């Protein structure tokens, strides 16, 4: 068994032993959106630092807790705070929780993030239809974990169509204006230049952000179904005069109630 596989099995067994057994869905909650995990009922909560082989979260707005329990009638395992490549985490660490979610038996993952809009403006909720991996990295480089999936995985349907249909139906029944588009992933931590954003627009991107792509690649590799939603917090570079993290935090704060309501309602229907 490869070293990584041993670590995944060890961590899954540890969490199971703590009572986190048979989750149906994994939730990966982005900047400022982690509050959703506070609504999980009958929670079992673990600090990241107490979980073997687990990474550490260093960004403000990312709590660094794993929360298991009931949400919208489903058993969920939620990451309150994800790991980013720009923090210096190897992609093996960034995507490790996704592999553990699979090992524990999850059917799908719901991935959320804050992103800059290319066309879409602050406050927009965008369902991710597809992504462009512009990180120059791939989390599957290295020995393939055959137990999870093939060496050359198909990414044609990484964002599960049936989940997207449910998301649109639920959004319209709630009166939420849910847009859809392509998420382009970069490593960060710099925001983009206006020239980069123009290039990304030409490539077909509707949103840009510093997360999600590695986790979704690993999820798709292992056959996990994926639903991705971006909270657009700002116009991407060049479409507004300047960018700063404060605006990202402020807009996330403004839309998080609508966001949480939408995610719970979607989860109930999956
Ligand atoms: N670019 C990259 N990541 C982001 C942005 C952005 O404009 N906004 C929020 N996360």
């Amino acid at each position: 068994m490869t070293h990584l596989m041993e670590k995944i099995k060890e961590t899954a067994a540890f969490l199971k032993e703590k009572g986190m057994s048979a989750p149906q869905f994994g939730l990966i909650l982005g900047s400022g959106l982690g509050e959703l995990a506070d609504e999980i009922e009958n929670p079992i909560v673990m600090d990241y630092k107490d979980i073997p082989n687990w990474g550490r979260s260093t960004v403000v707005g990312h709590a660094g807790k794993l929360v298991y329990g009931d949400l919208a009638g489903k058993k969920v395992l939620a990451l309150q705070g994800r790991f980013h490549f720009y923090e210096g985490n190897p992609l093996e660490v960034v995507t490790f929780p996704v592999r553990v979610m699979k090992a524990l038996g999850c059917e799908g993952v719901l991935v959320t993030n804050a992103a800059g809009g290319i066309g879409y403006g602050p406050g927009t909720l965008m369902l991710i239809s597809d992504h462009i991996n512009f990180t120059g990295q791939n989390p599957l480089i290295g020995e393939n974990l055959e137990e999870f999936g093939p060496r050359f995985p198909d990414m044609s349907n990484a964002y599960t169509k049936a989940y997207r249909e449910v998301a649109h139906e639920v959004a319209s029944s709630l009166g939420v204006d849910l847009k859809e588009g392509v998420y382009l992933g970069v490593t960060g931590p710099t925001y983009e230049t206006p020239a980069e954003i123009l290039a990304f627009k030409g490539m077909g991107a509707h949103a840009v952000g510093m997360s999600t792509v590695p986790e979704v690649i690993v999820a798709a590799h292992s056959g996990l179904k994926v639903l991705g939603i971006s909270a657009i917090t700002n116009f991407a570079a060049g479409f507004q005069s300047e960018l700063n993290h404060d605006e990202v935090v402020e807009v996330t704060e403004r839309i998080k109630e609508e966001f949480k309501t939408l995610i719970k309602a979607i989860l109930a229907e999956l």
Side-chain angles (χ1 to χ4, degrees), residues 20-27 67-78 98 100-110 163 223-226 267-270:
M20 298 185 172
S21 60
Q24 297 165 281
F25 296 96
L27 305 184
V67 187
Y68 168 91
D70 301 298
L71 188 66
K74 299 287 180 345
K75 283 265 177 263
V76 300
L77 186 62
V98 178
V100 171
M101 285 167 177
K102 175 69 184 183
L104 285 171
C106 283
E107 160 196 321
V109 288
L110 275 64
Y163 281 11
L224 278 165
K225 294 178 184 163
V226 174
L267 198 51
E269 297 301 323
L270 289 182

Side-chain angles (χ1 to χ4, degrees), residues 114-116 186 191-192 208-210 233-237 243 248:
V186 292
Y191 288 116
E192 301 68 37
V208 58
M210 305 174 193
T233 53
N234 54 280
F235 285 108
L243 304 190
V248 172

Side-chain angles (χ1 to χ4, degrees), residues 43-118:
I44 302 174
V45 183
M46 302 268 335
D47 275 344
Y48 286 173
K49 66 174 169 34
D50 299 325
I51 307 173
N53 309 315
W54 210 258
R56 303 273 179 273
S57 189
T58 65
V59 190
V60 178
H62 288 255
K65 286 190 169 69
L66 184 67
V67 187
Y68 168 91
D70 301 298
L71 188 66
K74 299 287 180 345
K75 283 265 177 263
V76 300
L77 186 62
L79 285 190
Q80 207 172 24
R82 61 146 60 83
F83 307 118
H84 298 88
F85 189 62
Y86 63 70
E87 294 171 273
N89 295 304
L91 287 181
E92 184 179 308
V93 171
V94 173
T95 59
F96 189 78
V98 178
R99 288 190 155 128
V100 171
M101 285 167 177
K102 175 69 184 183
L104 285 171
C106 283
E107 160 196 321
V109 288
L110 275 64
V111 187
T112 70
N113 58 56
I118 304 176

Side-chain angles (χ1 to χ4, degrees), residues 11 33 40 77 79 114 152 197 200 240 258:
T11 305
L33 305 169
I40 292 173
L77 186 62
L79 285 190
F152 300 108
I197 293 299
F200 296 165
Q240 63 179 55
E258 186 183 39

